[in-house]
């Protein structure tokens, strides 16, 4: 369809139904994108019909590309409407998340292959090599430092709340918890790699999600408690070493981000 968009120019445009056919999206989805401001048709006819322009379709292509990368719709709108550089930063973060997801998928595949090879040899898990067994259980260690944790915080409400919650966790639950934390680490690392200060709004947003992760999975974490954790990440070499396994300098950066976030809330 062609419509007049000015006094002397004519531009190709498409109805919502035509765009639905072109993209294989439902009309309902396109209407939803319009309602939330993610993709609004730029042209309105004299009869009141809204039409999509070439620029609108270009934006839709980007929307679908970001959706394929796993961005939530609200974040896609923020990225597309961001200031110059915002889209690059968002993509860096998403690349880091996808790389972490790829690493976890490869680790799961390697474990499955180890089990398969042991089964094909007719040996079963009990006859797997120590290296294979270690790889299988490397990401599942919920009891690590349990005795020390009980000694240091056993009388606290937070420890008791965490003990009750985690006592019900299966191995699959622990894998999910670990995946969530790795995703948070990947976001910190993406910001580090981009040279974003730890006290920036972006880093503090990750710190807020870090707090939400701990509150959802372990115990209700206040800013004051998060401050204590952040200080421990850099004061205790064991925590620093463990966190920095995900990326050199991560412990210091995440600690600084959480401290900045906590200070902002405590002001």
């Amino acid at each position: 369809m062609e419509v007049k968009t000015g006094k002397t120019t004519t531009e190709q445009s498409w109805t919502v139904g035509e765009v639905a056919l072109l993209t294989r999206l439902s009309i309902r989805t396109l209407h939803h994108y319009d309602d939330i401001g993610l993709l609004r048709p730029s042209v309105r006819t004299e009869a009141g019909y809204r039409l999509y322009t070439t620029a609108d379709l270009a934006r839709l292509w980007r929307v679908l590309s970001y959706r394929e990368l796993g961005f939530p719709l609200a974040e896609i709108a923020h990225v597309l409407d961001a200031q110059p550089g915002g889209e690059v930063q968002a993509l860096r973060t998403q690349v880091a998340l996808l790389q972490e997801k790829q690493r976890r998928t490869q680790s799961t595949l390697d474990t499955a292959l180890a089990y398969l090879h042991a089964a094909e040899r007719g040996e079963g898990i009990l006859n797997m090599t120590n290296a294979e067994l270690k790889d299988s259980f490397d990401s599942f260690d919920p009891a690590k430092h349990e005795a020390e944790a009980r000694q240091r915080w056993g009388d606290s409400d937070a420890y008791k709340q965490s003990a009750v919650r985690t006592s019900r966790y299966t191995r699959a639950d622990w894998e999910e918890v670990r995946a969530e934390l790795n995703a948070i680490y990947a976001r910190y690392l993406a910001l580090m790699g981009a040279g974003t200060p730890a006290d920036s709004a972006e880093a503090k947003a990750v710190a807020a999600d870090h707090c939400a992760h701990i509150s959802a999975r372990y115990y209700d974490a206040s800013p004051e408690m998060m401050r204590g954790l952040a200080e421990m990440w850099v004061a205790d070499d064991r925590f620093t070493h463990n966190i920095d396994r995900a990326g050199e300098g991560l412990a210091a950066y995440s600690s600084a981000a959480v401290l900045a976030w906590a200070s902002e809330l405590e002001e």
Side-chain angles (χ1 to χ4, degrees):
M1 178 182 296
E2 293 187 354
V3 296
K4 295 288 185 180
T5 59
K7 291 183 178 180
T8 60
T9 60
T10 300
E11 183 180 357
Q12 179 73 30
S13 61
W14 295 262
T15 65
V16 64
E18 290 170 336
V19 172
L21 288 173
L22 283 171
T23 62
R24 291 183 293 181
L25 294 173
S26 69
I27 292 177
R28 181 178 180 181
T29 295
L30 291 169
H31 282 163
H32 178 61
Y33 288 176
D34 188 358
D35 291 339
I36 65 176
L38 180 59
L39 179 71
R40 287 178 173 158
S42 299
V43 174
R44 188 180 294 275
T45 67
E46 293 180 359
Y49 294 107
R50 303 196 71 173
L51 303 174
Y52 294 85
T53 65
T54 302
D56 294 332
L57 292 189
R59 181 180 173 93
L60 177 57
W61 183 87
R62 294 173 72 197
V63 168
L64 297 180
S65 297
Y66 279 113
R67 194 178 70 172
E68 185 70 20
L69 287 172
F71 281 77
L73 293 181
E75 189 171 344
I76 293 174
H78 176 73
V79 169
L80 294 184
D81 298 330
Q83 295 296 321
E87 185 171 1
V88 172
Q89 180 58 59
L91 283 169
R92 282 186 178 138
T93 299
Q94 195 65 10
V95 166
L97 291 172
L98 290 170
Q99 288 173 335
E100 173 59 25
K101 182 178 180 180
Q102 182 183 48
R103 186 196 67 76
R104 294 198 308 270
T105 300
Q106 186 61 52
S107 177
T108 301
L109 175 60
D110 291 342
T111 298
L113 288 172
Y115 282 123
L116 173 61
H117 294 158
E120 288 175 339
R121 295 194 302 264
E123 298 172 350
I125 186 172
L126 293 180
N127 297 99
M128 290 173 65
T129 67
N130 286 339
E132 289 172 332
L133 286 170
K134 182 180 184 301
D135 288 340
S136 296
F137 291 96
D138 183 56
S139 63
F140 178 61
D141 193 11
K144 190 174 184 180
H145 306 311
E146 173 67 17
E148 180 179 351
R150 186 182 297 110
Q151 181 179 0
R152 295 175 66 173
W153 303 298
D155 293 331
S156 68
D157 291 339
Y159 180 87
K160 294 173 183 177
Q161 185 181 27
S162 178
V164 170
R165 288 185 184 179
T166 58
S167 66
R168 298 190 294 264
Y169 287 177
T170 64
R171 178 175 179 178
D173 291 327
W174 282 113
E175 290 287 357
E176 188 174 346
V177 170
R178 182 182 178 88
E180 290 174 2
L181 181 60
N182 284 339
I184 290 171
Y185 283 170
R187 292 169 64 192
Y188 281 131
L189 291 170
L191 292 174
M192 283 177 57
T196 306
D199 61 353
S200 66
E202 295 86 351
K204 285 185 286 189
V206 181
D209 289 343
H210 200 164
C211 176
H213 165 76
I214 292 175
S215 295
R217 291 301 192 172
Y218 298 101
Y219 52 82
D220 299 331
S222 65
E224 181 181 1
M225 295 178 72
M226 290 299 296
R227 176 183 293 279
L229 288 174
E231 291 172 348
M232 184 175 61
W233 297 339
V234 292
D236 191 319
D237 289 340
R238 293 169 301 173
F239 284 94
T240 303
H241 175 73
N242 189 52
I243 295 172
D244 279 358
R245 290 173 60 188
E248 187 67 30
L250 174 60
Y253 186 88
S254 59
S255 175
V258 169
L259 291 175
W261 167 80
S263 295
E264 187 176 77
L265 292 181
E266 292 168 351
E267 290 178 353

